[in-house]
Amino acid sequence: MAETAIVRVRHCGAAIFSRRVPERCPSCGRPLRGSDLPDAPLRLPSPFRHGHRQPRAFLLRPTAGTFLGGYDGKSDLHVGITNSNGVVYNYDAEGVQRAGTGWEQCISVPLVQPHMFGLLQQWDQLLEEFSAGQAWLPHRYDEHEHNCYTYALAFVNSILAAQGKREMSKSEFTEKFVIPQTKRAARYITLHQELTANEFYIVPLPQQEEQG
């Protein structure tokens, strides 16, 4: 499903979300002119990225469908690691897959900083060599104990170990890098779903923020 814009204006003590800036406030009916608004309309940045345009990143997407295409917040998620060309290496019951399509709407966690020149140059070779390991043969796959997340985190930890850094547990990596992104995505999905069904979504602001 194609992504459409979500904009927010503040008026009548509420945040008003819609697909475009309304001419009049849906609460009071007054025109929403610049001088009558406490701040400029804001276009919300999407938390989702085209995964194949995100080199050297940890990607997260629904196993079936897309985040904005009916994801219910409970269905299984699939993760992968991109190489420098945006090919997504991901592990499933058929072994390590190298996907050039299918990850067009993802949560993306960059894994390499621009100053890490050596790692930038070696990334593709390291990812390919790691993926050829015996641990990632199809028969080793287990949905709960040895899965796509196991594979992706093991690769991240292999990079950390090679740099002399401490490895991360699944809970540590998830809490530090994944949960902040998924919380932001969940809020955006809620807005998207509300605006799919309604022209406006109105949220009362905390009292200290009420203006207009």
Side-chain angles (χ1 to χ4, degrees):
M1 179 180 291
E3 229 175 301
T4 52
I6 296 178
V7 297
R8 185 204 72 191
V9 296
R10 295 197 303 172
H11 203 258
C12 289
I16 302 166
F17 297 93
S18 58
R19 294 298 186 187
R20 60 187 63 82
V21 179
E23 293 185 4
R24 294 179 177 274
C25 174
S27 295
C28 71
R30 294 203 304 256
L32 291 178
R33 298 192 178 93
S35 61
D36 197 33
L37 294 174
D39 50 19
L42 173 69
R43 176 170 176 158
L44 301 188
S46 170
F48 305 116
R49 299 289 177 267
H50 191 304
H52 301 292
R53 299 173 186 164
Q54 304 295 313
R56 308 176 193 90
F58 175 97
L59 301 183
L60 182 75
R61 67 161 173 81
T63 300
T66 64
F67 281 115
L68 297 180
Y71 180 65
D72 61 5
K74 301 175 184 177
S75 302
D76 289 341
L77 296 171
H78 194 46
V79 305
I81 303 284
T82 53
N83 70 5
S84 62
N85 297 311
V87 175
V88 184
Y89 284 59
N90 59 102
Y91 180 57
D92 62 18
E94 297 180 2
V96 176
Q97 310 297 314
R98 295 159 179 80
T101 60
W103 297 72
E104 288 78 15
Q105 192 181 92
C106 304
I107 290 171
S108 175
V109 179
L111 295 174
V112 184
Q113 300 302 315
H115 68 274
M116 299 177 176
F117 184 76
L119 187 53
L120 289 171
Q121 298 301 308
Q122 300 175 43
W123 186 265
D124 288 0
Q125 180 183 350
L126 293 171
L127 181 55
E128 189 62 47
E129 290 177 352
F130 175 83
S131 300
Q134 296 289 312
W136 316 116
L137 292 173
H139 72 273
R140 297 290 304 277
Y141 181 83
D142 180 88
E143 184 179 355
H144 302 291
E145 300 297 330
H146 195 76
N147 53 30
C148 60
Y149 208 122
T150 313
Y151 163 82
L153 182 59
F155 177 70
V156 170
N157 277 328
S158 75
I159 298 297
L160 291 173
Q163 295 177 312
K165 298 179 180 179
R166 183 177 62 84
E167 296 185 9
M168 302 181 75
S169 67
K170 179 178 180 180
S171 59
E172 183 180 9
F173 182 84
T174 302
E175 183 174 345
K176 185 174 182 179
F177 295 106
V178 178
I179 289 179
Q181 298 262 26
T182 55
K183 283 184 175 179
R184 182 168 161 251
R187 291 193 290 268
Y188 194 90
I189 291 169
T190 296
L191 292 173
H192 173 80
Q193 292 173 340
E194 290 289 342
L195 293 176
T196 298
N198 306 286
E199 186 176 1
F200 304 107
Y201 180 56
I202 301 174
V203 181
L205 291 169
Q207 189 170 0
Q208 65 269 26
E209 292 187 37
E210 287 187 13
Q211 298 183 56

